[in-house]
Structure formats: structure tokens, C-alpha cells
Amino acid sequence: MNTDANEFQIGVDRREMAVPVTGVTMLGYGDNKHIPRGATTPLYSRTIAILSPEGKRLVMACLEVCFITEPLRVEVLRRTGLAREELVLSANHTHCAPGGFAADVVYALSVDGFVPSVFEAYVSATVAGIEAALANVRSGRIRFASGIFPDDAPVAFNRSLRAWRKNPEAREWGKKVGTFDTDLAIDREMTLLRFEDLAGKPLAAWNWFPVHATSMHRDHYFVHSDNKGLAATGMETQLEREGHPGFVAVFAQGAAGDVSPNFRRHVGLREMRGAFRDDERSCAFNADIQMRKALEIFDAAEKTPPLSPRLEAVLEYHDFSTIAVDPRFVNGQQGLHTGPAEVGVPQLYGTAEGRGAPLIMIRGIALVVWVCRIYNAIVDRLGGRVTRWPWTDDPVQGKKVTVVGAGVREIFETGRMTRLVFPSWIHPVVGTLKRWAKNPALRERPFTPQVLPIQLVRIGGLALACVPAEFTTVSGMRLRKTLEQLLATSGTERVVIQGYANGFASYVVTPEEYVCQKYEGGCTLFGRWTLPAYLTAFHSMVGRFLAGEKATMLSPPEPSPEFWRAITSEESPSPVVKT
């Protein structure tokens, strides 16, 4: 493809993902009973392909799923032939899309394993969209703009205000944030890329705004693209009415870890909900606010100068279970590091918008964990090994009460899955665990990913930091500021956080938020220094990138055929997944 010396080549595509809409548990709420009875909305894969005058290419694809898994990304790369740094694969984070496309015990548990039909539906649509976008590129320009939601726009709310207040940034920022002003303790900026042809005809928009796609709750038993999906479809419909058929709108996520669309309690409903008692109305209400802001910014972007036709990307894998933290990111402290992934008891409690397990079960699990930890500490000390008591701080995980030692393949501190003391009837997940425990293949790899991709993309003077996790508001702010400082001398003017990209490893909170051990802190897998570890990894990657050095080639371990057979819940072949 010959490209204009001064312009990008741009291709776009949107296509429906033909997922099964009955019988497969939806992923997001951790509820094995969240099984759809049909579909309220379609689920789409949206793709924007970009080629630079030098022949470099980048494909940005956003799927209406809960998150991206390593098998999904690897299979898309295998079928398209893209280099790993050429693909940004992200999710809009709806909690009402079928699961079953993860090769990780924790993320497969609530959906009863790997479901090849779901996996194939997501992969085939994404691959077809990428191929169509690359095959239909045209000369065009990309423009960047942003806008701030007014304080009275009820679009997003901090669901973990107590933890947010622990951050030094909140001391000044927090002066205007009252006890119940959860809508002010967030990043209210929406950023947007406008894609157009050389005549100025709109082709696509990709915007970032952090807010969970949880307008639809776990009592909605239908497949649904949630607020991000409705906003995208609404903007596409509006542009088509204005004479732009085929227009593609992507409503992507930012640092949405502690940001919710729900802010009101309704009589008789346990969870925090949106503006209305009915989730459909609340979802449409929230989507309309996002859509109107995106349209406003999109129109304003027409008057901004186009981004220079420069395209660069780098992607590296880092083992987040063993990162030595750079002292500059922890106020000069030496010797700090991350550790193997651990899921804390707070995850079982859930959040105000998505309740967790029954309270009696959580307390029983916590008691078992404490007893097992005390027993293990006594045994270790009798054997001459010094380990911590459960009431003392661990250098990495702090006072986290661990329910799943994901990195070392332990459940409830019992040492092995086969030692689970709870009967299968207490909860379906326990029954699944005990059934899976009989297969040694499931103990060959960590229960959650630990080798994770981080990616930096530069389009003109804009940089995207693509992260495989749910960063909280202040975590995202710190990453963005760090990268803007690193890239300032190389012509980068803005950095945007692209969350839920290329993989998934739960949450990332600040060290200050972690101490609170709220839901987000309990789900921060690699301990208190997880965010500084991300800053360290990005710092080293960007240093190599700016110096023109090669990226690290570390890759996550590939599951064995025995592992695939152990977690696959349908009688059909396992996917071909090669790193």
C-alpha cells in the first residue's frame, strides 16, 4: 500500500460477535448463576487500523467483553500475522458478556471452565474485523481533543472514597470533596481521537473515559454491552443520520478501577444503582451523558491541528511476581519488591454495586485461613523456618488475608487444592475447585497471570499507556504523570491510560490505598508495591524505547494440552494457542 508522505492511512470496521446467548455464564460478577436467557443488545468488536507513511502499522480493537485474556490475544495475533506490538486489544468491561475464554483457574472458576464456542466467537469476529480494516484503508488525518464533564453531570462516582482519601494527592484535591461527593473524587476528563479522510469526512472516534460498565447488575440475565456499548451505538447512529455510514465509535476505558456509574440506593434493592430503579433506564441515561460529551469533543476536534503522521509502538512482558521496585517510585526506599499473586478476602465481599459471597461463608473462609496460617507458622518455626504470624505485616502483601495464593497455587492457605476443607455443597465454586483439584494439570501454572504485557503507543504527540489491569483513579494519574515526564523531551505532549488492554491481572491501587484493604486493594495481586512495579517496568521499557534498543522478549508460559483438557467445559477441540 503506497501512502501519502504526509498522511496516515486509516481503516475501520465494526462487526457483531456471534456469541451464545444462553447457557454460558457471564463474566464479571463472579456469580456462576449469572447465566443469560437471551440478549438485550448485540456485542460488537470495533477496529481501527492505522498505517504511517513509513509503513508502520497499528491496529486498535475494542471488544464488548469483560476483559482481554492471553489466549484471546495470542490467537488473534496468530491468525492475523500482526507483530505483538502492532495490536492494542482492549475491552469495554461489560459484566454481561459470556465468559469462558480464560486459561486461568481464578477467571475460569465462576464460568465453569473454558468454553471453545465463546472463544471462537470472539476471536473470529476480531480477526475478521482486523482484516477488513486493513484491507480498506484510505488516506486521512487523526486529531486529538478532550473535554471535562461538568460537576453536575451524574456520569461517574468513586466507589472507594475512604481508600482514595489516603493518597497525598487527595489532600489538596480533596478540599472540595465532601463526605458524599464521590462524583468529584474521579478524573472527569474524556479524551478522544477523531479519524477523518482528507476531505474531513468522519471515519471513526476512539474516546477514553474511566467508568465501570456495571450499569447492568447481576440480576439482569441477558447479554448486554452496558453503558459503553450503548454510548458507542448511539454515537454511530447519530453520525450515520448525519450522512456518514459505516462510522465507528469506540468508548474505551481508562483508569476505572474505583469508578462506578452507580450512585443511588433504591428501596428493596441491595446494590447501589444508577439514576433509576430500572437498570435499562439507568444504563441508557449514563450512556447518553457519555455520548453527548463524546459528540461535543468530536466536533471540537475538527478545529484542532492534526497529529503528525508518526507511529511507534513497543510491547514487553514482565514477570510482576518478581519485580524489584525502583526506589524513585517509593520515596527512596530500598529493597522493595513484588511477590507471587495473592487474592485477598475483600474480593469475596464484593462492592456496593456487586455483592459478594454470603457473609457466613466469607467469615468461615477467613477463620479457616487464619487457623491454617497459624498452624503453618507453628510448623515452620518448629522446622527452623521463620514465617509471619497472620496478625503481622508481610513485606510484600502487608496484612492481606489471602483467600487464594494464586501465584503458588494454594487455596485458603491449605497448601494444596486437594486439601480443601469445605464440602462441595457449600458453594458451586468450591465444588468446581474440588473437582478440578483431582487433575494435576491444573497445578502446573499460576491461577492468575503473572507474566503480563505492558505497551506504549505513540501517535504523533499522543502516547497511550496500555495496561492489563484495572488502575484506580490516582494509580492512573501517577502512571500518566510519570510517562509524561519521561517522554516530554521526545515530542510527546499527552499520555492517555488505556485500561483492560492485552491481558488481565485484576486491580492496581496506590500503596496508600492498598493499606485500607478495600475490594480494590484486596484484588491488587502482587502486593502493596504493585503500582511502583508498573512504574518501574514502564520506566525501563521507555528507556530502551527512547534509546532505540530492542524490547525484552519474555513471554508468558503456554498451557499444556493436558491443562486445556482439564478446564474445557465443552466437547470440542482446544484452541491452537502458541506464544
Side-chain angles (χ1 to χ4, degrees):
M1 174 65 66
N2 295 321
T3 61
D4 189 292
N6 297 309
E7 309 296 345
F8 289 109
Q9 294 285 307
I10 302 167
V12 304
D13 184 82
R14 180 193 71 175
R15 62 189 56 229
E16 184 175 347
M17 299 184 292
V19 298
V21 296
T22 59
V24 179
T25 308
M26 294 186 281
L27 181 62
Y29 286 116
D31 184 356
N32 63 298
K33 297 180 181 178
H34 194 207
I35 301 173
R37 303 164 186 162
T40 305
T41 72
L43 299 179
Y44 290 105
S45 169
R46 294 178 170 88
T47 305
I48 300 177
I50 310 168
L51 280 68
S52 73
E54 293 80 20
K56 294 183 178 180
R57 63 182 180 177
L58 176 74
V59 175
M60 301 166 61
C62 185
L63 280 58
E64 291 179 339
V65 298
C66 189
F67 50 76
I68 301 302
T69 66
E70 182 65 20
L72 187 64
R73 174 179 168 81
V74 169
E75 187 67 3
V76 169
L77 289 175
R78 189 187 72 83
R79 296 190 193 182
T80 59
L82 291 169
R84 64 183 188 178
E85 70 274 6
E86 293 179 327
L87 175 65
V88 178
L89 191 60
S90 64
N92 82 341
H93 199 46
T94 175
H95 287 41
C96 287
F101 53 101
D104 308 288
V105 168
V106 167
Y107 304 139
L109 264 178
S110 66
V111 296
D112 200 28
F114 186 87
V115 186
S117 61
V118 173
F119 179 84
E120 180 58 31
Y122 291 148
V123 170
S124 59
T126 304
V127 169
I130 291 172
E131 292 174 343
L134 287 170
N136 295 285
V137 296
R138 68 187 81 176
S139 296
R141 304 185 185 92
I142 306 173
R143 304 177 190 271
F144 174 80
S146 64
I148 305 292
F149 283 99
D151 288 353
D152 60 353
V155 64
F157 305 82
N158 193 305
R159 70 183 187 188
S160 194
L161 191 62
R162 177 168 158 259
W164 174 86
R165 288 188 184 279
K166 296 293 184 182
N167 295 302
E169 293 89 338
R171 294 171 188 167
E172 184 63 33
W173 180 5
K175 287 183 178 179
K176 71 171 185 176
V177 181
T179 305
F180 302 105
D181 294 330
T182 57
D183 54 334
L184 302 182
I186 62 167
D187 181 0
R188 299 186 69 83
E189 182 181 36
M190 175 182 281
T191 51
L192 178 144
L193 288 176
R194 174 189 171 105
F195 299 83
E196 60 185 39
D197 66 16
L198 296 184
K201 177 181 173 62
L203 301 176
W206 187 298
N207 78 73
W208 296 269
F209 179 68
V211 61
H212 259 75
T214 50
S215 293
M216 308 306 298
H217 289 74
R218 67 198 300 172
D219 54 3
H220 182 83
Y221 292 99
F222 296 87
V223 169
H224 200 293
S225 60
D226 217 282
N227 55 65
K228 293 286 185 182
L230 291 189
T233 301
M235 186 172 182
E236 289 165 346
T237 301
Q238 179 64 31
L239 268 292
E240 287 176 1
R241 286 178 185 150
E242 296 175 6
H244 306 296
F247 181 86
V248 172
V250 175
F251 282 68
Q253 288 286 4
D258 54 355
V259 187
S260 169
N262 300 302
F263 62 99
R264 185 170 294 170
R265 293 195 181 276
H266 298 274
V267 175
L269 297 178
R270 177 177 172 181
E271 295 94 348
M272 192 76 77
R273 304 274 173 152
F276 304 98
R277 183 182 182 88
D278 176 72
D279 274 357
E280 289 279 8
R281 291 184 64 193
S282 292
C283 187
F285 177 80
N286 184 277
D288 186 67
I289 297 174
Q290 291 191 60
M291 181 193 71
R292 290 180 183 277
K293 177 56 70 173
L295 286 168
E296 174 190 313
I297 300 170
F298 186 78
D299 290 341
E302 187 177 10
K303 302 177 179 64
T304 64
L307 298 177
S308 61
R310 180 182 65 173
L311 187 61
E312 301 168 288
V314 61
L315 183 144
E316 292 185 349
Y317 282 87
H318 290 255
D319 187 345
F320 276 82
S321 68
T322 59
I323 291 182
V325 174
D326 190 322
R328 78 187 73 196
F329 301 121
V330 284
N331 298 318
Q333 297 180 78
Q334 301 282 340
L336 301 181
H337 57 87
T338 57
E342 294 185 14
V343 180
V345 167
Q347 185 184 52
L348 300 179
Y349 285 98
T351 66
E353 60 187 340
R355 67 186 186 275
L359 186 59
I360 189 171
M361 178 181 172
I362 297 173
R363 289 177 175 172
I365 289 173
L367 177 61
V368 168
V369 169
W370 268 67
V371 170
C372 289
R373 184 170 286 181
I374 292 172
Y375 171 81
N376 291 337
I378 292 173
V379 171
D380 285 342
R381 287 169 186 266
L382 290 175
R385 299 178 299 274
V386 178
T387 55
R388 73 181 180 99
W389 299 106
W391 52 83
T392 60
D393 264 353
D394 178 78
V396 174
Q397 296 288 354
K399 292 184 178 179
K400 178 188 285 183
V401 179
T402 303
V403 64
V404 179
V408 295
R409 300 174 295 280
E410 290 184 353
I411 302 290
F412 307 155
E413 295 280 346
T414 56
R416 293 198 307 269
M417 290 170 65
T418 51
R419 292 181 181 174
L420 287 179
V421 298
F422 292 99
S424 297
W425 53 261
I426 195 170
H427 195 276
V429 166
V430 175
T432 301
L433 267 176
K434 299 192 81 164
R435 186 175 76 250
W436 286 3
K438 298 176 183 178
N439 193 319
L442 289 177
R443 299 191 293 277
E444 71 177 27
R445 63 199 306 269
F447 294 166
T448 59
Q450 297 193 135
V451 179
L452 300 167
I454 59 171
Q455 184 180 25
L456 181 75
V457 171
R458 292 205 295 184
I459 307 171
L462 175 71
L464 310 181
C466 306
V467 293
E470 307 188 49
F471 276 56
T472 58
T473 299
V474 179
S475 291
M477 181 186 301
R478 291 186 189 175
L479 175 58
R480 178 171 55 82
K481 288 184 176 180
T482 296
L483 289 175
E484 285 178 346
Q485 291 172 359
L486 289 172
L487 296 168
T489 59
S490 62
T492 298
E493 301 170 13
R494 282 292 305 268
V495 172
V496 173
I497 305 299
Q498 170 65 74
Y500 308 89
N502 301 318
F504 188 71
S506 206
Y507 284 76
V508 177
V509 300
T510 68
E512 296 86 353
E513 292 168 342
Y514 184 88
V515 173
C516 290
Q517 279 299 289
K518 303 294 285 183
Y519 178 82
E520 296 81 7
C523 297
T524 296
L525 302 180
F526 306 107
R528 184 175 180 181
W529 315 115
T530 299
L531 173 61
Y534 271 94
L535 299 179
T536 298
F538 266 102
H539 185 272
S540 64
M541 182 180 74
V542 170
R544 285 186 288 274
F545 174 66
L546 294 178
E549 300 173 2
K550 290 185 178 180
T552 63
M553 295 305 292
L554 180 67
S555 295
E558 180 183 348
S560 69
E562 291 76 18
F563 182 90
W564 282 119
R565 283 193 288 270
I567 67 168
T568 300
S569 63
E570 291 181 347
E571 291 298 326
S572 55
S574 299
V576 178
V577 179
K578 295 188 179 297
T579 53

